[in-house]
PDB file of all heavy atoms in Angstrom:
ATOM      1  N   ARG A  13     -43.715  -1.008 -15.525  1.00 97.00           N
ATOM      2  CA  ARG A  13     -42.684  -0.651 -16.491  1.00 97.00           C
ATOM      3  C   ARG A  13     -41.637   0.283 -15.891  1.00 97.00           C
ATOM      4  O   ARG A  13     -41.954   1.164 -15.075  1.00 97.00           O
ATOM      5  CB  ARG A  13     -43.482   0.103 -17.616  1.00 97.00           C
ATOM      6  CG  ARG A  13     -44.377  -0.798 -18.493  1.00 97.00           C
ATOM      7  CD  ARG A  13     -45.069  -0.035 -19.547  1.00 97.00           C
ATOM      8  NE  ARG A  13     -45.804  -0.983 -20.478  1.00 97.00           N
ATOM      9  CZ  ARG A  13     -46.941  -1.316 -20.222  1.00 97.00           C
ATOM     10  NH1 ARG A  13     -47.586  -1.003 -19.000  1.00 97.00           N
ATOM     11  NH2 ARG A  13     -47.570  -2.238 -21.056  1.00 97.00           N
ATOM     12  N   SER A  29     -34.307   5.391   3.532  1.00 97.00           N
ATOM     13  CA  SER A  29     -34.830   6.761   3.514  1.00 97.00           C
ATOM     14  C   SER A  29     -34.186   7.566   2.473  1.00 97.00           C
ATOM     15  O   SER A  29     -34.851   8.461   1.957  1.00 97.00           O
ATOM     16  CB  SER A  29     -34.696   7.356   4.866  1.00 97.00           C
ATOM     17  OG  SER A  29     -33.333   7.172   5.416  1.00 97.00           O
ATOM     18  N   ALA A  46     -41.386  -6.639  -8.294  1.00 98.00           N
ATOM     19  CA  ALA A  46     -41.413  -6.629  -9.722  1.00 98.00           C
ATOM     20  C   ALA A  46     -40.131  -6.142 -10.289  1.00 98.00           C
ATOM     21  O   ALA A  46     -39.602  -6.786 -11.193  1.00 98.00           O
ATOM     22  CB  ALA A  46     -42.585  -5.800 -10.223  1.00 98.00           C
ATOM     23  N   ALA A 137     -21.285 -14.901   0.667  1.00 98.00           N
ATOM     24  CA  ALA A 137     -20.474 -14.650  -0.511  1.00 98.00           C
ATOM     25  C   ALA A 137     -19.296 -13.812  -0.155  1.00 98.00           C
ATOM     26  O   ALA A 137     -18.177 -14.054  -0.613  1.00 98.00           O
ATOM     27  CB  ALA A 137     -21.329 -14.015  -1.561  1.00 98.00           C
ATOM     28  N   PRO A 142     -11.430 -13.069   0.615  1.00 98.00           N
ATOM     29  CA  PRO A 142     -10.520 -12.252   1.442  1.00 98.00           C
ATOM     30  C   PRO A 142      -9.703 -11.292   0.459  1.00 98.00           C
ATOM     31  O   PRO A 142      -9.440 -11.588  -0.684  1.00 98.00           O
ATOM     32  CB  PRO A 142      -9.526 -13.244   1.994  1.00 98.00           C
ATOM     33  CG  PRO A 142      -9.610 -14.462   1.035  1.00 98.00           C
ATOM     34  CD  PRO A 142     -11.036 -14.443   0.582  1.00 98.00           C
ATOM     35  N   ARG A 146      -0.950  -4.791   2.547  1.00 98.00           N
ATOM     36  CA  ARG A 146       0.240  -4.717   3.502  1.00 98.00           C
ATOM     37  C   ARG A 146       0.855  -3.360   3.421  1.00 98.00           C
ATOM     38  O   ARG A 146       1.007  -2.858   2.308  1.00 98.00           O
ATOM     39  CB  ARG A 146       1.263  -5.799   3.012  1.00 98.00           C
ATOM     40  CG  ARG A 146       0.822  -7.272   3.216  1.00 98.00           C
ATOM     41  CD  ARG A 146       1.813  -8.210   2.664  1.00 98.00           C
ATOM     42  NE  ARG A 146       1.538  -9.667   2.951  1.00 98.00           N
ATOM     43  CZ  ARG A 146       0.651 -10.443   2.199  1.00 98.00           C
ATOM     44  NH1 ARG A 146       0.221  -9.879   1.065  1.00 98.00           N
ATOM     45  NH2 ARG A 146       0.445 -11.553   2.475  1.00 98.00           N
ATOM     46  N   CYS A 185      -5.783  -2.920  20.416  1.00 98.00           N
ATOM     47  CA  CYS A 185      -6.297  -2.362  19.159  1.00 98.00           C
ATOM     48  C   CYS A 185      -5.225  -1.497  18.552  1.00 98.00           C
ATOM     49  O   CYS A 185      -4.266  -1.150  19.192  1.00 98.00           O
ATOM     50  CB  CYS A 185      -7.499  -1.396  19.566  1.00 98.00           C
ATOM     51  SG  CYS A 185      -8.891  -2.292  20.136  1.00 98.00           S
ATOM     52  N   PRO A 194      -8.496  15.088  12.728  1.00 96.00           N
ATOM     53  CA  PRO A 194      -8.178  16.377  13.324  1.00 96.00           C
ATOM     54  C   PRO A 194      -9.325  17.295  13.478  1.00 96.00           C
ATOM     55  O   PRO A 194     -10.141  17.362  12.567  1.00 96.00           O
ATOM     56  CB  PRO A 194      -7.031  16.908  12.336  1.00 96.00           C
ATOM     57  CG  PRO A 194      -7.461  16.432  11.084  1.00 96.00           C
ATOM     58  CD  PRO A 194      -7.976  15.015  11.407  1.00 96.00           C
ATOM     59  N   ALA A 195      -9.322  18.056  14.560  1.00 94.00           N
ATOM     60  CA  ALA A 195     -10.360  19.072  14.713  1.00 94.00           C
ATOM     61  C   ALA A 195     -10.093  20.251  13.756  1.00 94.00           C
ATOM     62  O   ALA A 195     -10.998  21.066  13.458  1.00 94.00           O
ATOM     63  CB  ALA A 195     -10.546  19.568  16.125  1.00 94.00           C
ATOM     64  N   GLY A 238       8.252  17.364   4.605  1.00 97.00           N
ATOM     65  CA  GLY A 238       9.070  16.337   5.179  1.00 97.00           C
ATOM     66  C   GLY A 238       8.309  15.628   6.382  1.00 97.00           C
ATOM     67  O   GLY A 238       8.958  14.938   7.241  1.00 97.00           O
ATOM     68  N   ALA A 249     -16.376   9.641  -3.331  1.00 98.00           N
ATOM     69  CA  ALA A 249     -17.810   9.268  -3.688  1.00 98.00           C
ATOM     70  C   ALA A 249     -17.868   8.687  -5.116  1.00 98.00           C
ATOM     71  O   ALA A 249     -16.816   8.509  -5.732  1.00 98.00           O
ATOM     72  CB  ALA A 249     -18.679  10.505  -3.615  1.00 98.00           C
ATOM     73  N   TYR A 269      -1.268   9.774  -4.387  1.00 98.00           N
ATOM     74  CA  TYR A 269      -0.878   8.333  -4.344  1.00 98.00           C
ATOM     75  C   TYR A 269       0.717   8.308  -4.730  1.00 98.00           C
ATOM     76  O   TYR A 269       1.467   7.689  -3.955  1.00 98.00           O
ATOM     77  CB  TYR A 269      -1.615   7.595  -5.360  1.00 98.00           C
ATOM     78  CG  TYR A 269      -1.259   6.119  -5.537  1.00 98.00           C
ATOM     79  CD1 TYR A 269      -1.154   5.276  -4.463  1.00 98.00           C
ATOM     80  CD2 TYR A 269      -1.125   5.561  -6.766  1.00 98.00           C
ATOM     81  CE1 TYR A 269      -0.802   3.956  -4.513  1.00 98.00           C
ATOM     82  CE2 TYR A 269      -0.756   4.159  -6.938  1.00 98.00           C
ATOM     83  CZ  TYR A 269      -0.603   3.379  -5.767  1.00 98.00           C
ATOM     84  OH  TYR A 269      -0.244   2.013  -5.914  1.00 98.00           O
ATOM     85  N   THR A 289     -15.979   6.288   2.796  1.00 98.00           N
ATOM     86  CA  THR A 289     -17.101   6.451   1.915  1.00 98.00           C
ATOM     87  C   THR A 289     -18.418   6.314   2.796  1.00 98.00           C
ATOM     88  O   THR A 289     -18.286   6.172   4.055  1.00 98.00           O
ATOM     89  CB  THR A 289     -17.247   5.302   0.885  1.00 98.00           C
ATOM     90  OG1 THR A 289     -17.397   3.997   1.500  1.00 98.00           O
ATOM     91  CG2 THR A 289     -15.999   5.214   0.097  1.00 98.00           C
ATOM     92  N   TYR A 313     -16.212   2.527  -4.824  1.00 98.00           N
ATOM     93  CA  TYR A 313     -15.215   1.499  -4.625  1.00 98.00           C
ATOM     94  C   TYR A 313     -14.343   1.317  -5.938  1.00 98.00           C
ATOM     95  O   TYR A 313     -13.230   0.911  -5.856  1.00 98.00           O
ATOM     96  CB  TYR A 313     -15.862   0.153  -4.287  1.00 98.00           C
ATOM     97  CG  TYR A 313     -16.744   0.290  -3.043  1.00 98.00           C
ATOM     98  CD1 TYR A 313     -17.772  -0.668  -2.793  1.00 98.00           C
ATOM     99  CD2 TYR A 313     -16.552   1.225  -2.100  1.00 98.00           C
ATOM    100  CE1 TYR A 313     -18.657  -0.586  -1.742  1.00 98.00           C
ATOM    101  CE2 TYR A 313     -17.371   1.390  -1.000  1.00 98.00           C
ATOM    102  CZ  TYR A 313     -18.424   0.469  -0.732  1.00 98.00           C
ATOM    103  OH  TYR A 313     -19.130   0.518   0.336  1.00 98.00           O
ATOM    104  N   VAL A 327     -18.361   4.390   6.328  1.00 97.00           N
ATOM    105  CA  VAL A 327     -18.814   4.975   7.593  1.00 97.00           C
ATOM    106  C   VAL A 327     -20.263   4.904   7.650  1.00 97.00           C
ATOM    107  O   VAL A 327     -20.929   5.851   7.291  1.00 97.00           O
ATOM    108  CB  VAL A 327     -18.249   6.367   7.776  1.00 97.00           C
ATOM    109  CG1 VAL A 327     -18.373   6.854   9.172  1.00 97.00           C
ATOM    110  CG2 VAL A 327     -16.725   6.351   7.324  1.00 97.00           C
ATOM    111  N   ALA A 438      -0.327  -9.019  25.434  1.00 94.00           N
ATOM    112  CA  ALA A 438      -1.122 -10.203  25.251  1.00 94.00           C
ATOM    113  C   ALA A 438      -0.273 -11.413  25.224  1.00 94.00           C
ATOM    114  O   ALA A 438       0.950 -11.345  24.988  1.00 94.00           O
ATOM    115  CB  ALA A 438      -1.856 -10.003  23.967  1.00 94.00           C
ATOM    116  N   SER A 446      -2.863  -9.486  32.341  1.00 82.00           N
ATOM    117  CA  SER A 446      -3.470  -8.722  33.492  1.00 82.00           C
ATOM    118  C   SER A 446      -2.779  -7.287  33.442  1.00 82.00           C
ATOM    119  O   SER A 446      -1.721  -7.070  32.907  1.00 82.00           O
ATOM    120  CB  SER A 446      -3.118  -9.428  34.776  1.00 82.00           C
ATOM    121  OG  SER A 446      -1.764  -9.352  35.062  1.00 82.00           O
TER     122      SER A 446
END
Side-chain angles (χ1 to χ4, degrees):
R13 292 180 173 82
S29 53
R146 296 176 173 88
C185 295
Y269 179 47
T289 67
Y313 305 155
V327 192
S446 67

